[in-house]
Amino acid sequence: ETGVTQSPTHLIKTRGQQVTLRCSSQSGHNTVSWYQQALGQGPQFIFQYYREEENGRGNFPPRFSGLQFPNYSSELNVNALELDDSALYLCASSLRRMGGGETQYFGPGTRLLVL
Amino acid sequence: QKEVEQNSGPLSVPEGAIASLNCTYSDRVSQSFFWYRQYSGKSPELIMSIYSNGDKEDGRFTAQLNKASQYVSLLIRDSQPSDSATYLCAVNSRQGAQKLVFGQGTRLTINP
C-alpha cells in the first residue's frame, strides 16, 4: 500500500458528460501527478500539481483540468467526455525536492468507461 | 522514435530462471529511471529506482543503467510465478515538470 487513495474506483459515463476524479496523496508528499493509461499501453502524463498550481502538462486538451488543495489532495476534471477517454486514471504522489528526480507512488486508479 | 521503448513481449521464462527486461530511452538529459510492476487490473507498483551508471541490487531484483548507451534493464533472479506481470520502464528528465515517461510495458510470464 502506497498511502495514495483515489475515488471512485469505477465510473461509467456517457459521451458529452463531465467527470471529477479525486486523489489523496501520501502523508508528507506535496506533489500530485495524473496519468491516463489506455488498455495495453503505458501511462501517459496528463499534468502535475505542486503548491496548488499546475506544474507541467502533457499532450491533453484543455477539457482536462485539475486542482490541488491546501492539504495536497487533488481533483481531475474532464469535460465533454469522448469514447477515447475510457481508460484507467492514475494519481501519483511524490515529495518535491531540490534537483528533482523524486519517486512517484501510484494510487489504485479510477477506471472510467465512456459509453 | 518513442521516448521510452520496451519489447512488449510476451516474455516467457521458466520458474527459477533469470528474467531479463530491457528498456531504451531517447532523451539524453534523463536522470532518474524506474521500474514498476503492474498486475492485471491493478496500478503500477514501484520495484526499483536507479540514478547512476552501474548496477543496483534489491533482493532478487537488479537494475542496470548505462547512460552512454541510453539503456536500462531489470533482472529478476529465481523467477517465481508471482512475478508474472507487466513491467513498466519509466524515465524522468529532471527538467521542467517532474513527469514520468513510460514505455508500453513488457508482459512477463513465469511458467511453473
Side-chain angles (χ1 to χ4, degrees), chain A residues 1-2 37 43 88 90 104 106-107, chain B residues 6 21 34-49 58 60-61 74-90 102 105-108 110:
Chain A
E1 293 295 327
T2 63
Q37 186 176 24
L88 179 66
L90 296 162
Q104 297 186 17
F106 285 88
Chain B
Q6 295 180 254
L21 304 162
F34 305 88
W35 284 99
Y36 288 85
R37 177 175 64 196
Q38 187 172 27
Y39 293 114
S40 181
K42 302 295 185 180
S43 65
E45 171 194 9
L46 181 69
I47 296 295
M48 294 281 286
S49 60
D58 184 359
R60 295 187 296 111
F61 298 95
L74 179 70
L75 301 178
I76 307 174
R77 290 182 301 281
D78 188 23
S79 296
Q80 303 296 310
S82 60
D83 295 326
S84 298
T86 295
Y87 288 80
L88 296 163
C89 171
F102 284 87
T106 297
R107 189 155 54 94
L108 174 66
I110 306 300

Side-chain angles (χ1 to χ4, degrees), chain A residues 12-53:
Chain A
I12 300 175
K13 291 285 189 178
T14 56
R15 276 186 303 174
Q17 285 189 310
Q18 178 265 344
V19 68
T20 297
L21 310 182
R22 296 178 174 82
C23 170
S24 291
S25 59
Q26 185 179 119
S27 177
H29 284 182
N30 56 16
T31 302
V32 172
S33 304
W34 286 91
Y35 294 82
Q36 179 195 67
Q37 186 176 24
L39 202 60
Q41 301 297 316
Q44 297 290 315
F45 176 73
I46 302 176
F47 43 55
Q48 183 179 85
Y49 279 84
Y50 171 62
R51 290 186 174 178
E52 303 176 53
E53 292 190 358

Side-chain angles (χ1 to χ4, degrees), chain A residues 67-78:
Chain A
L67 286 172
Q68 186 181 32
F69 301 99
N71 66 354
Y72 305 120
S73 66
S74 178
E75 287 183 355
L76 164 65
N77 299 290
V78 187

Side-chain angles (χ1 to χ4, degrees), chain B residues 25-73:
Chain B
Y25 60 95
S26 61
D27 188 353
R28 286 195 168 274
V29 301
S30 299
Q31 295 291 330
S32 308
F33 307 86
F34 305 88
W35 284 99
Y36 288 85
R37 177 175 64 196
Q38 187 172 27
Y39 293 114
S40 181
K42 302 295 185 180
S43 65
E45 171 194 9
L46 181 69
I47 296 295
M48 294 281 286
S49 60
I50 187 167
Y51 305 95
S52 304
N53 278 329
D55 295 359
K56 179 181 178 182
E57 187 175 317
D58 184 359
R60 295 187 296 111
F61 298 95
T62 299
Q64 299 174 318
L65 175 61
N66 184 325
K67 290 186 178 180
S69 299
Q70 296 176 240
Y71 175 92
V72 58
S73 66

